[in-house]
Amino acid sequence: LDTYAAYNLQDARVTYLLCMKVMPNMEELVKIIGLPFAAVTRFSFSRLVESYIMRQTHHFDELIANRPEYRDVSLRTSQTYEGAFVFQPTPGLYDSVVVFDFRSLYPSIITSHNISPGSLNCTCCHDLVPGEKYWFCKNKKGFLPSVLENLITLRAEIKKKIKSLLIRDHLLEARSESLKLLANSFYGYMGFAPARWYSMESARSITALGRHYIHRVIDMAQKAEFKVLYSDTDSIFLCLGGKTESDALALVDGINKTLPGIMELDYEGFYPVALFVSAKAGPYGAKKKYALLDRKGKLKIRGFETVRRNWSIIAKEVQDHVLDIV
């Protein structure tokens, strides 16, 4: 029985540690959304977003939309649309790579372009979303973008307060993380079939604008004679070649001046070496699978087996060693 007792003791210990890790986040979601603890720990994020939106309706004199009927949900489930753009990498080992990414791409698109079922195809505007046949009002702020903007503003204030503290505040960090999770779930909620504020046109427009802006960054980078290595959804990897890091920072500043509202491209960092590997099939490199070496000699690894939990320890150790050699 000693083996079983030790196994159960370890299970209990891990459960306790997990509880200590996620409990503050759950408690903050309870406060923000106003649902019981049992609901917060079991609901999908789309349902959490909907509960939060319902709680905000009285602040904006909005009526709560009806829950869709079963046949409406079935019809919505059959509808699809194009997702994010991916610039596939060419396998190889590259020197002097810089990485940019959009800060909260989809939430910032929703607020900056006023994307909401209530502002769709208004009578006062007619600026089409690139590649789509829809437009959104530019004169009157929609309900959902207003709710989302409040979330983003509140999180920014909390992050500012966290930075000013001399001692780490775990509850404030948990609240910031909870607000981030809610904000990032708004896009998924609009395309969620059982949603009360469902809007396929909004979901399509958000991804269309995401593709539009990442293409704009790629075009401006290539015009400035940077080599584009890889891009996926909201990030872009550039090879400096004969350029300097200052040139990359200047490019970011120039791009940000062209972006609307709260949209912003961040300079994520400089990496002396970057490795992209071949996909299992096809001539292109593997998506979401790369290794970056930073200035301090630390590896940032994405997608490789060494960072996955369903591989043996020996395989992960061997791959780690090979990456170190490379």
Side-chain angles (χ1 to χ4, degrees), residues 6-22 309:
Y7 179 87
N8 285 319
L9 184 62
Q10 174 66 4
D11 261 6
R13 178 177 174 272
V14 170
T15 302
Y16 169 74
L17 292 173
L18 283 171
C19 180
M20 295 300 290
K21 178 74 175 175
V22 303
R309 298 182 183 182

Side-chain angles (χ1 to χ4, degrees), residues 210-323:
R211 295 191 301 273
H212 167 74
Y213 284 113
I214 203 70
H215 275 296
R216 179 189 290 188
V217 173
I218 289 172
D219 291 343
M220 292 181 73
Q222 289 176 333
K223 190 175 180 181
E225 299 181 348
F226 287 91
K227 180 180 179 180
V228 179
L229 295 179
Y230 175 56
S231 177
D232 188 352
T233 309
D234 62 352
S235 60
I236 182 169
F237 296 63
L238 304 177
C239 189
L240 288 180
K243 299 283 186 178
T244 65
E245 194 174 358
S246 297
D247 294 330
L249 291 168
L251 176 65
V252 171
D253 290 339
I255 291 170
N256 281 331
K257 289 176 182 177
T258 69
L259 298 176
I262 63 170
M263 290 192 69
E264 186 174 0
L265 187 68
D266 278 342
Y267 180 71
E268 197 268 328
F270 169 81
Y271 298 92
V273 186
L275 173 69
F276 293 92
V277 295
S278 301
K280 291 181 179 179
Y284 297 105
K287 295 184 289 185
K288 301 183 187 296
K289 190 173 184 179
Y290 54 85
L292 307 173
L293 185 73
D294 67 17
R295 284 190 171 103
K296 296 180 181 179
K298 185 178 179 182
L299 276 174
K300 178 179 179 181
I301 302 170
R302 295 289 183 271
F304 281 97
E305 289 74 17
T306 186
V307 294
R308 292 170 58 179
R309 298 182 183 182
N310 59 343
W311 278 70
S312 65
I313 293 173
I314 188 171
K316 295 164 75 171
E317 287 177 348
V318 168
Q319 194 174 66
D320 265 336
H321 188 55
V322 171
L323 285 171

Side-chain angles (χ1 to χ4, degrees), residues 12 43 53 120 153 191 197 201 225 229 242 288 301 318 322 325:
F43 279 6
I53 293 171
L120 174 67
T153 303
W197 282 274
E201 298 88 350
E225 299 181 348
L229 295 179
K288 301 183 187 296
I301 302 170
V318 168
V322 171
I325 292 170

Side-chain angles (χ1 to χ4, degrees), residues 125-178:
C125 308
H126 206 279
D127 292 338
L128 293 175
V129 171
E132 295 292 343
K133 54 186 177 182
Y134 319 114
W135 67 91
F136 296 88
C137 187
K138 292 186 174 182
N139 299 317
K140 185 180 178 182
K141 195 75 172 180
F143 169 51
L144 294 188
S146 299
V147 173
L148 179 56
E149 191 168 18
N150 287 348
L151 275 176
I152 294 171
T153 303
L154 180 58
R155 181 168 183 256
E157 292 171 357
I158 291 173
K159 286 180 70 178
K160 188 176 180 181
K161 188 174 181 180
I162 290 171
K163 287 183 179 179
S164 68
L165 296 175
L166 298 176
I167 302 173
R168 188 174 179 183
D169 190 321
H170 292 281
L171 287 178
L172 272 183
E173 289 177 2
R175 173 155 285 223
S176 174
E177 185 65 21
S178 299

Side-chain angles (χ1 to χ4, degrees), residues 15-82:
T15 302
Y16 169 74
L17 292 173
L18 283 171
C19 180
M20 295 300 290
K21 178 74 175 175
V22 303
M23 182 75 79
N25 295 68
M26 297 299 102
E27 289 175 346
E28 291 304 314
L29 282 171
V30 167
K31 296 174 189 175
I32 295 167
I33 300 172
L35 289 175
F37 197 90
V40 165
T41 56
R42 288 165 175 80
F43 279 6
S44 67
F45 274 108
S46 289
R47 290 188 68 186
L48 294 178
V49 168
E50 183 164 276
S51 299
Y52 179 77
I53 293 171
M54 290 168 66
R55 196 181 185 191
Q56 300 303 309
T57 51
H58 71 282
H59 294 302
F60 297 90
D61 294 329
E62 287 280 335
L63 292 173
I64 296 175
N66 289 330
R67 189 186 299 277
E69 296 181 1
Y70 175 78
R71 62 182 179 182
D72 294 325
V73 174
S74 299
L75 181 62
R76 293 172 179 181
T77 305
S78 65
Q79 297 178 330
T80 59
Y81 57 94
E82 187 178 352

